[in-house]
Amino acid sequence: MQGDWATLWSKFYLLFFPISKVVSLRKEVLNFRQLEKESLNTSWACFNDFITTGPDLTIQDPVLLQYFYMGLSKD
């Protein structure tokens, strides 16, 4: 099998990552909320974990940033 790392990684996840897990990750991203007394850096790290721990969620970067911003507390 030939290709760059991103292509191989994507093909692996498409073959072995259940669609139910993809749906669950999308829900986590779309329903993201900053925890009480959680720092901005920690929130950003958690949010990034959601979007990088599995296959491509096919959510564009501007939309991801919007959901992150909307999930932040007013503090």
Side-chain angles (χ1 to χ4, degrees):
M1 184 179 235
Q2 292 181 338
D4 61 27
W5 174 248
T7 302
L8 293 174
W9 180 80
S10 179
K11 286 184 180 187
F12 173 83
Y13 274 110
L14 288 174
L15 287 173
F16 298 106
F17 208 80
I19 192 68
S20 60
K21 183 69 173 169
V22 174
V23 170
S24 177
L25 284 172
R26 280 186 189 144
K27 283 183 182 180
E28 292 282 347
V29 168
L30 299 178
N31 294 316
F32 172 78
R33 294 288 176 258
Q34 183 180 19
L35 300 177
E36 186 177 331
K37 297 187 181 185
E38 184 177 48
S39 72
L40 182 61
N41 284 343
T42 303
S43 293
W44 181 246
C46 290
F47 189 78
N48 274 316
D49 285 345
F50 290 142
I51 60 177
T52 60
T53 57
D56 183 11
L57 299 175
T58 64
I59 304 171
Q60 295 178 356
D61 288 345
V63 175
L64 289 172
L65 285 173
Q66 182 180 16
Y67 277 101
F68 176 73
Y69 177 76
M70 290 177 4
L72 294 175
S73 68
K74 296 185 194 263
D75 298 334

